[in-house]
Amino acid sequence: MITLPRQKTSGIVVSMGAAKVWTILLLAFALFPQTGRAGIIAPHGATTPGIDVSSSQGTINWSAVAAAGEAFAIARAVDGTSVDPTFQQNWQGIANAGMIRGAYQFFEPGQNVDTQAALFLSTVGGFGPGDLPPVLDVEVTGGKSSAVLDAEIGQWVSDVRTATGLNPIIYTGANFWNSLVGGSSFSTDLWIADWGASLPNVPSHYWSDWQIWQYSFTGSVSGVQGAVGLDKFNGSLVDLQAFASVPEPRTLFLMCAGLLVLGRFARRKIAR
């Protein structure tokens, strides 16, 4: 049986060939109910547009995407322990187009969490100015309990935070997180998925704000073939640039330490 590429959705994974209208409507209702939306949080003011992509979108014309007004893009780097074959092309293309870039790990609870984190870090190869913090996409349970999910997500966040010095972002939907994960926000930032709503509904017991809102997964943008995820950053372009450019203390320390070591090595070579 031929398995079509999986399409990232908010709270569940579906086969692209089976994404019938009635199924999407049922999923949207189950994952993002319009009643009991106690965690609705408005943006601070201006928002900045962006998109999210994976191998499902094929080859992307990033210059056309930038020309269409998209300021940032988040590309899938790894799905569990499998590298997205389009990531490196997207990662470089986003930067070449002058856009802010981000990378996400699609979390597979049935696979070893440390292996997933290590593969994600090695695939991305490092974060610098112009890069959003690392993202963990949490939308499937793998049949695991809330307690196990909570522990595994916490382990990934700890591994990546320790390795990069950056505070990761978690992507999820409010109903999915409230019903099936819970536990903690792990002090991460939030990329909330809430399609077709006027304002996003967040897991209010765990986050008090959101940084990015995926408001559609069936959008259309010049330079991208087919449907694509549409997002808004909670702030102006200047705010986005600041969010993607300011390293946390550990990252700054590691950068300075690396430069110091390189400087000493260079002086030794000159002395010789």
Side-chain angles (χ1 to χ4, degrees):
M1 182 177 67
I2 297 175
T3 302
L4 295 173
R6 294 195 306 177
Q7 175 178 333
K8 188 170 84 65
T9 65
S10 305
I12 195 157
V13 175
V14 297
S15 166
M16 290 177 64
K20 297 181 180 179
V21 173
W22 63 269
T23 304
I24 294 175
L25 292 174
L26 287 173
L27 291 173
F29 177 79
L31 296 169
F32 309 114
Q34 298 299 306
T35 57
R37 294 169 59 85
I40 294 176
I41 298 178
H44 303 154
T47 59
T48 305
I51 64 174
D52 58 274
V53 301
S54 70
S55 59
S56 297
Q57 280 73 42
T59 300
I60 296 172
N61 183 336
W62 286 108
S63 296
V65 174
E70 304 299 330
F72 69 95
I74 306 174
R76 184 177 66 183
V78 176
D79 181 343
T81 54
S82 299
V83 175
D84 187 305
T86 61
F87 174 70
Q88 293 301 336
Q89 182 179 0
N90 286 332
W91 188 241
Q92 192 59 52
I94 297 167
N96 290 344
M99 300 169 64
I100 300 296
R101 64 184 183 178
Y104 75 86
Q105 156 100 58
F106 187 96
F107 186 57
E108 295 282 6
Q111 299 176 14
N112 183 274
V113 63
D114 293 322
T115 301
Q116 292 188 67
L119 181 60
F120 172 77
L121 292 168
S122 65
T123 299
V124 177
F127 295 84
D131 297 339
L132 294 170
V135 178
L136 182 64
D137 176 347
V138 182
E139 55 180 285
V140 295
T141 67
K144 300 295 184 70
S145 68
S146 295
V148 171
L149 287 173
D150 189 71
E152 291 189 350
I153 294 166
Q155 185 61 50
W156 189 97
V157 169
S158 177
D159 286 352
V160 172
R161 184 180 280 150
T162 299
T164 65
L166 297 170
N167 188 36
I169 301 170
I170 286 180
Y171 166 98
T172 196
N175 195 49
F176 178 83
W177 192 271
N178 288 336
S179 302
L180 300 173
V181 184
S184 173
S185 69
F186 309 101
S187 299
T188 64
D189 289 324
L190 176 65
W191 176 9
I192 187 66
D194 196 354
W195 315 318
S198 57
L199 292 173
N201 184 31
V202 309
S204 57
H205 294 297
Y206 309 100
W207 285 275
S208 59
D209 202 1
W210 54 272
Q211 280 62 47
I212 302 171
W213 169 25
Q214 185 194 55
Y215 62 94
S216 173
F217 74 101
T218 57
S220 177
V221 173
S222 295
V224 182
Q225 301 177 25
V228 66
L230 300 179
D231 304 280
K232 295 179 180 181
F233 175 77
N234 193 357
S236 66
L237 178 58
V238 172
D239 295 329
L240 172 64
Q241 291 167 339
F243 183 65
S245 299
V246 180
E248 294 190 359
R250 175 181 168 80
T251 301
L252 188 59
F253 170 76
L254 292 174
M255 290 169 60
C256 291
L259 289 172
L260 181 61
V261 170
L262 288 174
R264 288 179 176 175
F265 178 73
R267 284 197 296 272
R268 287 179 183 175
K269 289 193 70 175
I270 293 172
R272 292 176 184 174

